[in-house]
Structure formats: structure tokens, C-alpha cells
Amino acid sequence: MRLGADPPVRRADASGPDEVRRANLSAVLRMLHVHGPATRSDIVAATGFNRSTVGALTSELGRVGLVRERPGVVRGKGRPSLVVEPVSTGVHVLAFDVTQSSVGAALVGLGGYILQIRRRLHGTSPQDVAGVVALVAGLAEEMLRRAAPGSVCLGLVVSVPGSVRQPDGLVRRSPSLHWYEVPLADLLRAATGGAYPVAVGNDGDLGVVAEHLRGAARGSRDVLYVRGEAGVGGGVVVDGELLKGAGGYAGEVGHIVVRPGGRVCSCGARGCWEAEVGDAAIIRAAGRDPRESEIEDVLSDVAVGNRRAVAGVRRTGEWVGTGLATLVNLFNPAVVVLGGTLGALYPTMEPALAETFARALGPIREQALLVRSELGSDAQLVGAAEVGFADVLEDPLGTLARRGAAGAAAGAALVPHPHLG
């Protein structure tokens, strides 16, 4: 799984005219996708290409429907420079976020525009893999029916809270879903008739991609993202690159041990971070029973100033700060983004969290800005979409040609899953 904003191939690295052209098209499209509309003059300044080259590149991207040009605003004398913008309805990605309680779905267009979004509760239980696959396939079919005519689907990307092997998308373990060794990517390919590429990623990885490119960590090349829900997921960007590890499992921050001999974790160990700061732990600390209450109940209690709930959340904040101190010492990020439950409760946790976070080494702690997620519950959907756009950003014309041929061969439509009836 590749980070959608990986640096483009430099012209000096290209081996021939075709590679030079591909790399130049990639540089222009990537800039517009990530940063939004720009004048031709802006593109010249950002890429170092001359004006005639930029004109030829934008014309070629326009010919295949990836960008369009419009007159800019007149400033002073002379004609305005043309503004080039990505066409959000030219290509799209189907993005999904599977959680313990629901499936989020979005159809995301070029430029990161969310064109459609839906959230559905699990019909029965997240343990029902076939049911979740059917739900994802049904949502995909529903969104595709409403996609702009002629828009090209680049693929389906699914976020899962658990350890996901790359590149084949095997979910090795997801305790919150009770999934073990689930070949999710293969199941989704079968459910959709093999019409589109399918990728599966860890929720923390996709969250950090989203916040790095379009959220609270925009402009930073070193980012730590932590999402609190049933468990605790995390993702790390180092010098602009997603940290993946040997098998794609890097970032399992929920299983650092912060309290030896503490609560039993879903992984079987004791005192893991997620056992101390996951939703169940927060619900208990707030004076409720996790078997009878949801984290939304705690959020409501805190919102109305329930003293017991506020005190419990603050106590949990001590363990949040303890874990963050360890991670900041390891990765030296410029920005730490808190998402999910931890982001929602950060203002309440902040005093206690700051006290234990202060245990991180001074020079490292001083460089780490703690912020709440800007994208909230949409972070995984946005990150999943960026993974789906990676191929077209690297090779715009080649990817469109391949997807066009594949779509024609598949009849340009999803094959209904048998469970959909």
C-alpha cells in the first residue's frame, strides 16, 4: 500500500522521453490533486517547467478529463492567467471504513472531494464477515449508480481496525471485529466480480495519510496519528513517507505496554495501552458498565458536566499522556494528531495528559505539537481514497487506459453479491 502523496519521479530519474512525459504529467496532476486549483504561473513556479511545457501538460491532462482550465481573476493590466483545476467527477475511488458498529462509505473524486458519503450500522454483527462483505459491496453498487456518467472508478479501498498484511489485504487479526486470518481483499474482489482493484489497509495508517495530506498535519513531513475506539490504532509518517514495516504492520501503537500487570488486553497481554485507554476503559473510568453503555454515553455525560465522568476521563488522560510520551521519544514527530474517541475527549483529558506527556524528552517534546483530528470520523475514508488515487497520480494516462479497458471487460458495473438478493 503506497502513500498517495509519495514524491513524484524527478525528471533526472526518467530514462527516456516517455518516462519524462509520464513524470511531468504526474508532477502537475499531483500538485493539483493535493493543493487544489492553481494558475499556470503557479505550476511553472512549483515545478520548474517552462510555460510551454506546462501548457502542453495541462492540455494533455484536460484532453483525458482529469483537469480543466478556466479564466482566472484579472489583477491589474493584461489577460488573467488560466486557472487549472482537477475534475472531481473524472475519476473516483470507493472508500470504506469498517468499525465495530458500522461501515462508512464514500465516493471520493480527484482533488479529495467527497462526492457521496454514507454510514450504515451492521445488520447483525461485525463477526459476520460475509455480512460485512455484502454490506460493502451493496454500498459500492449504490454509490456507483449515482456516480457522474463517464466517471472512471479507480478501485475500492477498505479501512479495518487491525493488523493487515500487505500487499494482499489479509486481515491477520482484528480483535474488535473478532476477525482472524480473513482474506478480505479476495472476498471483496469476488463480491464485486473483479471489476475494480481492491486494497485493504489498517485504520491508523489510513488516518495518518489523511491528516498528513488534508487534515491537522498538512505541511508536516513527520506525523504521529492515534485513533482511539474499541482499541487504539496508530500510523506514522516519517519524512513524508508512510512507515509500513516488513509486512505492513508498523504502527500497532495500542500494544505498547504502559502498565505492566494491568488489564488484560485483547491480544492476551496485560497492561497494553489500548486496554487502559480504549473505549471500554474510558466507559469504566466514567462510572458506567461497558456491557450496558456506549462511548457516546460518556461523551454526553462529559458534555453536561457530570463530575464522575469528567474525573474518570481525566484519569484516563494520564495513561494517554504516558503512551504518547513513549511514542514521541521513538518517532520525534512534528505533529501528533489525536482522532476518534481520544480526539473527542482531548479537551477534557488535556490537563492530566499534559502532566504525563511531559515525561518525554524535552527537546523532542518541544517539537511535538498535539492537535485534534480535523477530519474526525471521515479520516479513514479520506486516507483510503488517497491510496486509491496513488496509481493515477503516478501514471495518469497509463492508469486511465488500463482502468478503461478493465471497466469495459467487466461491463463497467459491479456484479451483485449473492447475499444482496
Side-chain angles (χ1 to χ4, degrees), residues 313-339:
V313 168
R314 286 180 176 164
R315 285 196 302 274
T316 305
E318 296 177 11
W319 292 112
V320 175
T322 298
L324 289 178
T326 297
L327 295 172
V328 166
N329 282 340
L330 284 172
F331 297 114
N332 187 200
V335 181
V336 178
V337 183
L338 298 179

Side-chain angles (χ1 to χ4, degrees), residues 152-230:
V152 175
C153 181
L154 298 174
L156 289 73
V157 185
V158 185
S159 167
V160 173
S163 301
V164 181
R165 188 172 70 189
Q166 298 302 336
D168 64 351
L170 175 73
V171 181
R172 297 297 309 275
R173 56 181 301 281
S174 176
S176 64
L177 300 178
H178 301 280
W179 289 4
Y180 299 93
E181 307 298 330
V182 173
L184 185 59
D186 290 341
L187 293 172
L188 285 170
R189 285 190 197 96
T192 57
Y196 307 99
V198 175
V200 180
N202 167 266
D203 63 339
D205 287 344
L206 298 178
V208 77
V209 168
E211 296 291 346
H212 164 61
L213 289 176
R214 304 190 181 278
R218 284 188 306 275
S220 176
R221 295 183 62 79
D222 295 278
V223 184
L224 168 66
Y225 170 82
V226 180
R227 181 193 199 188
E229 288 205 348

Side-chain angles (χ1 to χ4, degrees), residues 278-304:
D279 283 0
I282 294 173
I283 292 168
R284 288 191 199 95
R288 287 178 172 271
D289 187 337
R291 295 170 298 182
E292 300 173 357
S293 301
E294 303 289 340
I295 195 64
E296 286 75 15
D297 298 319
V298 176
L299 292 169
S300 297
D301 289 345
V302 169
V304 299

Side-chain angles (χ1 to χ4, degrees), residues 372-411:
R372 300 167 73 185
S373 165
E374 284 187 11
L375 299 172
S377 60
D378 293 339
Q380 280 61 40
L381 297 173
V382 173
E386 292 302 328
V387 170
F389 284 120
D391 286 342
V392 79
L393 294 179
E394 184 173 299
D395 181 10
L397 304 188
T399 299
L400 274 186
R402 289 190 295 273
R403 287 303 312 133

